[in-house]
Amino acid sequence: MKRGMGTTLLASGIVLGALQFAAPWVQGAEPARGLKETRNYTVTTAPVDQLHLETPKVPDLSGYTAEAVEAKIDRSRPGRVVVRRMLQQDALKDFIGGDERLREWVKRQQGMPQAIFIEGGHVTPADIARALPDHQFAEVEPGVYLSRLPLVVAQDANLEIGKATRDFRLSQERGAFLVNDGKLFIKDSRLTAWREKDKAPAHFRSPSEFRPFLVSWGGSELYIVGSTVTSLGYDNSKSYGVSITQYTPGMHARLKRAEPTGWLLDSEFVDHWYGFYCYEAANVVIKGNTYRDNIVYGIDPHDRSHGLIIADNTVHGTKKKHGIIISREVDDSWIVNNRSYDNKLSGIVIDRNSVNNLVAWNEVYRNHADGITLYESSNNLLWGNKILSNKRHGIRVRNSVNIRLYENLSAANGLTGVYGHIKDLSNTDRNVELDPFDTKVSLILVGGKLAGNGSSPLSIDSPLSVELYDVELLAPSKSTGISFAGILGEKQDEILDLMVRRKQAVLIDPVESQAELQD
């Protein structure tokens, strides 16, 4: 018996509860386009041994430390500091392409725009201050440095912003930002977007207002440990805040740089447009950080990134969207032991064909939409998460198959403990060639507890398959007893007899799928 091939398994362990399987036309919903409006099911018992999974393993995190970062810094070869025009520089082309962006720096620098380049070896902020006049880069007070030009760490160089630097400031008025094309270390220090007029961080005011940012390009390595990073980024390409990103496709085809990577450890990221963003990055480690009061997202790995470790972080107060989201083919990654709460929308989101990810042992609570949301992302495992008091659903699964939910607690959420549904996205603004989808949903639920949710423990519309075993289902706040709705209502007596009285696993099998298996 193969999972996702028309087998639906339900089992005992139910205490006072309401269990609902709702067709798309139940509760005011419309049938998804292209779906049959009737489906026959049979009810039988089934073995449960195939549902057993060992506790998932995560990578060894013990090596991601400040000491390990320190060992990566090569101070053997002094670098040099030079100032060049921004034009015709590969690392800056994305920021001066087109008349509008070029005008931004012409206006701020009041002339042909220039940037500081770190080349040839190891450089510190003190080295830069000694090499340049104050109107370009200055130590404004002991250990506090202000860059009034964009700064680029070249391929063969490394910039160390260490403990001797109390604050490394990027002038908003002068259009400063930080580009890493080599190796950048920020260790036991601060990085601040600085509004000189206010003598204060460049706190967010509007999406279109330029704010300094940090971008780490293809082939680079970025290390931030034990530091505070404040007020970076705005709504413009690659300028979001702290970004680790491959070069744009045209540049990458020419430069052929390796996938960028980095470690962000035990640091605080506050008031960024995006707290973290990556694109086509590999093996990035985001561990032990706090992301608070960021604007759009807290942590946002994006297109075709893989092998990511997002562990032991606290993410809260995101103002526009989600706390943690991975989106568009972000695969083979670990989201473990995080706390995501009080975010504007969901706490954790797996989105747009992101597969083979483990979401485990997270605490996700008091978010203003769902706790954990999966959109069009099949073959993911959620294990041992605590999902509490979110305003909408605890776990929401849309257009995704083989979603395995093991040992999760989903309790006191405003709507459903686990909600699975299908949606036709053809007539939305979605690019279906870039982000394809199937209107199919299947879930496997084993262990854990669904308790005290607002409408029901579990609601599925038009499932391809659902397997449930040994899940404790406690009464929702609107308790109506154990009841099935819609397409499974006529089978309720058989299901409850096997599930409650006999304490056996139940197989609820769509007749169409049985016929398919016999072909």
Side-chain angles (χ1 to χ4, degrees):
M1 183 172 62
K2 295 182 179 179
R3 294 176 186 167
M5 293 292 291
T7 61
T8 302
L9 201 61
L10 298 171
S12 59
I14 295 192
V15 183
L16 299 176
L19 179 60
Q20 297 180 335
F21 294 79
W25 52 94
V26 173
Q27 300 173 339
E30 295 294 330
R33 191 177 71 186
L35 293 173
K36 296 179 181 179
E37 294 194 5
T38 60
R39 226 177 197 185
N40 295 320
Y41 288 78
T42 60
V43 178
T44 57
T45 60
V48 299
D49 55 340
Q50 68 172 18
L51 297 176
H52 175 73
L53 284 181
E54 297 293 337
T55 301
K57 295 181 179 179
V58 300
D60 182 5
L61 304 181
S62 63
Y64 301 110
T65 64
E67 293 76 18
V69 171
E70 172 67 25
K72 292 177 177 289
I73 304 174
D74 180 4
R75 303 183 180 93
S76 64
R77 186 165 51 109
R80 60 184 177 273
V81 180
V82 297
V83 174
R84 294 196 177 95
R85 288 186 174 184
M86 292 174 65
L87 295 174
Q88 307 304 317
Q89 300 293 331
D90 286 339
L92 296 174
K93 282 186 176 179
D94 207 59
F95 309 116
I96 57 174
D99 292 341
E100 182 179 346
R101 296 205 84 176
L102 179 58
R103 278 197 298 268
E104 177 87 46
W105 278 272
V106 171
K107 179 180 69 174
R108 292 181 182 276
Q109 295 189 21
Q110 299 181 344
M112 186 59 66
Q114 296 179 312
I116 301 165
F117 286 78
I118 308 302
E119 300 176 343
H122 177 262
V123 170
T124 68
D127 297 328
I128 305 173
R130 283 191 292 268
L132 298 178
D134 286 354
H135 71 274
Q136 294 178 335
F137 191 97
E139 185 175 13
V140 293
E141 56 184 270
V144 178
Y145 297 90
L146 177 65
S147 182
R148 294 188 170 101
L149 293 178
L151 193 151
V152 179
V153 183
Q155 274 186 259
D156 59 350
N158 69 85
L159 172 61
E160 179 186 357
I161 301 172
K163 186 178 293 187
T165 301
R166 294 194 294 118
D167 197 0
F168 191 97
R169 296 171 178 172
L170 300 168
S171 171
Q172 181 184 35
E173 288 91 340
R174 294 282 290 169
F177 57 91
L178 185 53
V179 173
N180 178 35
D181 210 30
K183 293 183 179 180
L184 172 59
F185 300 87
I186 303 173
K187 189 170 180 288
D188 301 316
S189 188
R190 298 181 68 93
L191 175 65
T192 307
W194 192 253
R195 190 170 292 140
E196 292 191 71
K197 179 181 177 181
D198 296 343
K199 297 182 180 180
H203 295 303
F204 174 77
R205 295 190 294 206
S206 77
S208 60
E209 181 184 36
F210 168 84
R211 293 199 301 174
F213 55 88
L214 163 59
V215 62
S216 196
W217 281 128
S220 69
E221 298 177 24
L222 172 65
Y223 299 94
I224 301 176
V225 57
S227 297
T228 299
V229 185
T230 304
S231 298
L232 300 180
Y234 69 120
D235 188 13
N236 216 330
S237 175
K238 309 295 186 181
S239 307
Y240 304 131
V242 176
S243 302
I244 297 178
T245 173
Q246 183 55 272
Y247 276 100
T248 50
M251 291 279 287
H252 179 48
R254 178 168 62 84
L255 298 176
K256 296 180 171 57
R257 300 293 299 277
E259 295 169 304
T261 192
W263 299 356
L264 283 64
L265 310 176
D266 302 319
S267 296
E268 186 173 39
F269 299 86
V270 184
D271 184 41
H272 304 298
W273 183 241
Y274 292 5
F276 173 81
Y277 172 84
C278 69
Y279 171 92
E280 294 185 352
N283 306 317
V284 175
V285 178
I286 305 170
K287 176 180 175 288
N289 305 291
T290 296
Y291 290 82
R292 65 173 174 86
D293 300 329
N294 295 292
I295 310 305
V296 182
Y297 302 111
I299 300 173
D300 178 29
H302 230 276
D303 302 50
R304 296 172 296 281
S305 297
H306 60 94
L308 311 180
I309 297 173
I310 303 171
D312 303 323
N313 302 286
T314 298
V315 184
H316 65 98
T318 306
K319 298 180 186 301
K320 291 183 179 289
K321 294 189 178 182
H322 314 298
I324 301 171
I325 176 172
I326 63 173
S327 183
R328 192 174 289 131
E329 300 177 47
V330 179
D331 302 338
D332 305 307
S333 296
W334 296 266
I335 302 175
V336 297
N337 290 315
N338 301 285
R339 291 150 300 286
S340 186
Y341 64 93
D342 283 340
N343 298 293
K344 180 66 173 180
L345 294 179
S346 296
I348 297 175
V349 178
I350 313 299
D351 184 39
R352 300 187 187 226
N353 299 297
S354 296
V355 302
N356 299 329
N357 299 292
L358 173 65
V359 182
W361 306 294
N362 300 285
E363 296 180 6
V364 185
Y365 55 96
R366 293 202 315 262
N367 295 287
H368 299 183
D370 305 322
I372 300 178
T373 306
L374 295 97
Y375 285 152
E376 292 76 53
S377 292
S378 299
N379 303 317
N380 289 293
L381 172 61
L382 277 62
W383 186 290
N385 299 286
K386 295 180 180 178
I387 306 146
L388 309 171
S389 300
N390 300 284
K391 287 192 176 180
R392 294 186 62 78
H393 307 289
I395 300 172
R396 178 179 179 180
V397 180
R398 184 181 77 187
N399 296 342
S400 305
V401 298
N402 192 31
I403 301 303
R404 296 170 294 166
L405 311 176
Y406 277 63
E407 306 298 340
N408 297 287
L409 168 63
S410 181
N413 298 291
L415 297 176
T416 309
V418 174
Y419 175 49
H421 67 117
I422 54 177
K423 183 177 181 180
D424 188 347
L425 304 174
S426 300
N427 295 322
T428 68
D429 60 1
R430 186 186 188 94
N431 182 334
V432 295
E433 292 186 3
L434 182 62
D435 298 309
F437 68 95
D438 289 319
T439 50
K440 296 178 181 179
V441 62
S442 70
L443 307 176
I444 301 168
L445 292 89
V446 175
K449 181 183 294 186
L450 308 178
N453 296 289
S455 57
S456 68
L458 174 65
S459 178
I460 311 290
D461 84 348
S462 284
L464 177 66
S465 70
V466 178
E467 300 176 66
L468 182 75
Y469 178 67
D470 196 28
V471 180
E472 189 175 3
L473 305 178
L474 302 181
S477 57
K478 300 177 181 179
S479 178
T480 57
I482 299 173
S483 63
F484 300 120
I487 53 179
L488 300 186
E490 64 185 66
K491 305 294 185 181
Q492 176 168 312
D493 290 343
E494 298 172 68
I495 295 169
L496 295 182
D497 178 56
L498 291 171
M499 183 168 51
V500 177
R501 188 175 68 82
R502 302 188 193 184
K503 300 186 184 299
Q504 293 179 336
V506 180
L507 172 62
I508 304 168
D509 198 9
V511 171
E512 302 97 316
S513 295
Q514 287 182 332
E516 290 169 6
L517 289 170
Q518 292 170 1
D519 291 341

